[in-house]
Amino acid sequence: MDHDKIKAAVAQIIVAIGEDPKREGLVDTPNRVAEMYTELFSGLTKDPKEELSVGFELGHREMVIVKDIPFYSMCEHHLLPFFGVVHIGYIPNVSGRIVGISKLARVVEAYARRPQVQERMTSEIAETISDGLKASGVAVVIQAEHLCMMMRGINKPGSKVITSAVRGDFRKRAASRAEFLSLIQNKS
């Protein structure tokens, strides 16, 4: 991240909206925004597939699901947040390779911490897990709320966007897909 360029750009935005960047409440805002962007966009410097490099050959061939993984991201169209939960399911490959469940959340985090659109993020997570684990099947569902729909434009707070991506057995076998969807909807 180029902090100096971010700070200069934020100072120009403050002037462009008619404010004084030297006003007490705004004087440190360019620096705070630069620091925040370093955190919010930290996924740009990470390879999410690396999170899946250490696995375990356990011979497990049944579905693994991690649901309700919270995330926060920034819409690349307006640079406003969108947030929600990700549900991930995978069916291990024939050798039964699994990965530590926290690694799935780390993949989500790496993609969420980039300028993003939900549709692409859903596909990227599914592709990374499919390729990284050589899984027999992968399913990803994201449910999110977008501040660009809530604060501006259409002004519809409470609207949720749901996207899904399925690969391998989840695409080929309707029963696997139905089981995954049923289990992520279970409120327990």
Side-chain angles (χ1 to χ4, degrees):
M1 294 284 162
D2 189 330
H3 281 245
D4 290 335
K5 282 187 180 177
I6 295 170
K7 290 185 331 189
V10 171
Q12 287 181 336
I13 289 170
I14 292 170
V15 170
I17 65 169
E19 265 287 1
D20 178 5
K22 293 184 175 117
R23 184 168 62 78
E24 182 181 0
L26 293 173
V27 76
D28 290 328
T29 296
N31 188 57
R32 284 191 294 264
V33 172
E35 289 175 1
M36 176 185 68
Y37 278 7
T38 299
E39 181 180 346
L40 294 180
F41 299 127
S42 62
L44 289 167
T45 60
K46 294 184 180 167
D47 179 359
K49 196 181 258 187
E50 286 180 10
E51 298 295 345
L52 305 174
S53 62
V54 176
F56 310 97
E57 307 293 333
L58 292 183
H60 184 78
R61 293 285 295 135
E62 303 300 323
M63 191 180 306
V64 176
I65 297 173
V66 180
K67 70 179 214 170
D68 297 324
I69 302 167
F71 78 93
Y72 299 88
S73 191
M74 293 288 275
C75 167
E76 66 185 35
H77 297 146
H78 301 100
L79 291 181
L80 284 172
F82 69 99
F83 59 94
V85 293
V86 178
H87 312 292
I88 298 172
Y90 73 95
I91 300 170
N93 61 24
V94 293
S95 66
R97 183 171 187 268
I98 64 162
V99 68
I101 55 176
S102 69
K103 302 303 185 186
L104 300 175
R106 290 180 191 280
V107 169
V108 169
E109 197 69 7
Y111 282 117
R113 290 191 175 267
R114 301 172 178 203
Q116 196 55 279
V117 294
Q118 182 176 333
E119 296 86 346
R120 183 178 60 235
M121 185 171 127
T122 308
S123 294
E124 288 173 333
I125 292 168
E127 285 298 319
T128 297
I129 294 168
S130 182
D131 293 347
L133 297 181
K134 306 291 186 243
S136 294
V138 174
V140 176
V141 171
I142 299 181
Q143 299 170 286
E145 295 182 58
H146 294 247
L147 266 64
C148 57
M149 281 190 63
M150 298 166 73
M151 295 177 62
R152 55 154 307 279
I154 194 72
N155 289 303
K156 296 297 179 200
S159 300
K160 290 188 175 47
V161 177
I162 301 172
T163 51
S164 69
V166 292
R167 305 289 184 269
D169 285 353
F170 286 102
R171 183 171 285 176
K172 296 177 202 167
R173 296 177 31 211
S176 294
R177 188 169 49 252
E179 179 183 357
F180 170 74
L181 293 172
S182 172
L183 290 169
I184 67 169
Q185 290 173 6
N186 184 346
K187 301 299 180 198
S188 60

